[in-house]
Amino acid sequence: MVDQSELAWRMLCRKYKADLCYSPMFHSNLFAKDPKYRKDALQTCSEDRPLIIQFCGNDAETILEAALLAQNYCEAIDINLGCPQAIAKRGHYGAFLQDDWNLLNEIVKTLHSNLKVPVTCKIRIFEDRDKTIRYAQMLEKAGCQLLTVHGRTREQKGPLTGAADWSYIREIRENIKIPMFANGNIMDLRDVQRCLDETGVDGIMTAEGNLHNPALFTGQTAKTWYMATEYLDYAQRYPCPISYIRGHLFKIFHHILSLRPNANLREELAVANGLEKFRRVVQKVQQKYEPYHEGLKPYGKEEIDPSVLIEEHEYNMCLPPWLCQPYVRLSPEIHKQIVSEKARLAEDPSRDKRQYYDNEGKEISRKRMKKLRRRFRRPDKPEGKHDRHLENCRHCCCNPLGFKCVFRLCRICCRDRCYSENFDCLGHGILIKSRRAKAKLYEDTPRKDSDLTEEEKPEDGLAHCKRTNQDELRDALELISQS
């Protein structure tokens, strides 16, 4: 999982019975060429085993170079052939290599022949079952020693994700001999056993289900604040970028933050930039929902925030929102119906325009309604005021001072001081002293006549008058001859 299976998250998952973890997907070219990228990527420890390091790329030698640098830190090297995102299409890697079998054969063979650890692959299926089976057999023959099959096509992503088809996985399992993992539709522990029974694979991989509930493999429905606190403890022990932490907490608290009364919590989490601020958000969630969980207070269903695009279905909120649980997207069919209905209404000239009302029941414009919704999501933000808190210039008291100004003045006052006192200010880019010194130096070193060419030498006054008279006389003679 790109930017989401860092060391802190892997250690949390291992605590809750994840037998094998994968690194985030690393770009093979950057990993091989950029020492800083490689150092940041190879975050691991002795307890982080077994580990498979995953690469993407489209050149066999480059992927091999990266894998050779990583093989001492893991038990296997994985080639990601399943990423369906637009960036993978632009970079020509991931699932967008599945049509170039010659290149994939070369990549897998090269790694299999030169690495001391096994080579594994993760793929997506084709719509054609026979082609999918031949695809898996080609990778097996090239040297792939463990195959993970995601039961969705390359086009099944975002709102068109839909359900994974395990029947494809079962047919592949029956036609190859190497170990196999299944991926897709794993939302809880019951899905794990059901997938093993229906496909006959050797192991189960989960991504999104794990992000919403890292204790998935234990069958627990843990309290969100308890799981978030444990993750923050690991993040403190194994530091990672703030964006990773924020992303994980948004997944864990997904159902809580989708409720309208929790708009302030969502905003606070979005702007948090340190572990202590993240912990304060977790404490507020716990303080609000723990009395409900303990039965000290009755819980009434809270309204879903209208700014969050969620269709209410029973399978989205089968548990109280404060418990870790998966998020289930709408089916592609329902999504297509919604899109087509919106398009039909937009093209209908006789349609009634949607009316908007404020809290007092007065009709307002759509633009005004959007503004009110933004204000509701950020109630603590003062309306019409600048966000930045800048110190004013002590001379004029009306303009903000430049933080890089050597005199701690605004630009106008700084320029006046530089002119009057002959100074430079690099912060504002005002170079009065330097330019005056340069001009004075130019004046003090005139060029000698001996260094000038004939064209550059100035002529004296008498020569200038003679040349002028001659020109005027020549012009007069030309006029006479023409007349």
Side-chain angles (χ1 to χ4, degrees), residues 410-424:
C410 66
R411 185 176 185 83
I412 295 175
C413 296
C414 179
R415 185 179 59 204
D416 292 343
R417 179 169 181 178
C418 289
Y419 269 107
S420 61
E421 301 183 19
N422 194 31
F423 285 126
D424 286 345

Side-chain angles (χ1 to χ4, degrees), residues 174-186:
E174 294 170 353
N175 287 275
I176 65 173
K177 298 178 181 178
I178 58 176
M180 241 186 80
F181 291 164
N183 181 216
N185 298 351
I186 308 300

Side-chain angles (χ1 to χ4, degrees), residues 463-478:
H464 176 71
C465 291
K466 288 182 178 180
R467 182 173 58 77
T468 303
N469 292 336
Q470 290 174 357
D471 293 341
E472 292 176 350
L473 179 62
R474 185 170 56 255
D475 295 339
L477 290 175
E478 287 179 359

Side-chain angles (χ1 to χ4, degrees), residues 66-291:
L68 288 170
L69 294 169
Q71 65 179 348
N72 293 331
Y73 300 89
C74 61
E75 278 64 48
I77 297 294
D78 185 73
I79 307 169
N80 188 322
L81 305 176
C83 181
Q85 303 302 324
I87 190 171
K89 184 176 183 179
R90 291 195 298 270
H92 190 54
Y93 57 80
F96 298 92
L97 291 179
Q98 68 180 22
D99 298 316
D100 195 343
W101 290 14
N102 291 331
L103 175 59
L104 292 181
N105 184 68
E106 179 190 359
I107 291 173
V108 176
K109 276 188 175 180
T110 301
L111 268 63
H112 178 63
S113 303
N114 294 279
L115 295 178
K116 63 183 182 182
V117 295
V119 179
T120 72
C121 297
K122 182 189 176 188
I123 64 171
R124 286 188 170 230
I125 61 174
F126 292 94
E127 289 188 3
D128 186 330
R129 289 177 182 267
D130 292 336
K131 186 176 182 180
T132 302
I133 293 171
R134 295 197 307 272
Y135 181 37
Q137 290 173 335
M138 180 272 295
L139 293 172
E140 178 185 26
K141 186 177 180 181
C144 176
Q145 293 161 277
L146 184 151
L147 184 66
T148 301
V149 181
H150 188 149
R152 293 184 175 94
T153 65
R154 185 171 61 192
E155 290 70 32
Q156 288 182 275
K157 59 181 180 179
L160 301 178
T161 297
D165 193 335
W166 289 348
S167 64
Y168 281 79
I169 301 175
R170 183 182 62 250
E171 292 191 32
I172 296 173
R173 172 69 282 177
E174 294 170 353
N175 287 275
I176 65 173
K177 298 178 181 178
I178 58 176
M180 241 186 80
F181 291 164
N183 181 216
N185 298 351
I186 308 300
M187 296 299 178
D188 57 33
L189 190 59
R190 291 170 296 178
D191 293 330
V192 172
Q193 190 58 50
R194 191 162 57 88
C195 185
L196 289 170
D197 295 338
E198 292 187 20
T199 61
V201 293
D202 304 285
I204 300 296
M205 172 189 285
T206 178
E208 286 196 348
N210 167 263
L211 292 175
H212 289 280
N213 182 14
L216 183 151
F217 289 122
T218 65
Q220 298 181 35
T221 51
K223 300 183 288 289
T224 51
W225 57 84
Y226 180 79
M227 200 58 65
T229 300
E230 280 201 297
Y231 170 65
L232 291 176
D233 291 340
Y234 278 112
Q236 186 167 3
R237 184 176 177 183
Y238 306 108
C240 61
I242 292 296
S243 59
Y244 295 12
I245 301 174
R246 184 182 296 111
H248 282 303
L249 294 184
F250 265 110
K251 291 287 186 182
I252 294 174
F253 293 133
H254 174 86
H255 292 281
I256 286 178
L257 299 179
S258 298
L259 300 175
R260 185 168 186 169
N262 295 328
N264 290 340
L265 286 175
R266 186 168 69 240
E267 182 68 21
E268 187 175 347
L269 180 58
V271 300
N273 57 5
L275 283 176
E276 290 307 315
K277 293 183 179 180
F278 288 129
R279 290 186 188 277
R280 282 200 291 271
V281 174
V282 175
Q283 289 171 0
K284 290 181 180 180
V285 171
Q286 181 177 359
Q287 289 170 1
K288 178 176 180 179
Y289 287 101
E290 192 169 33

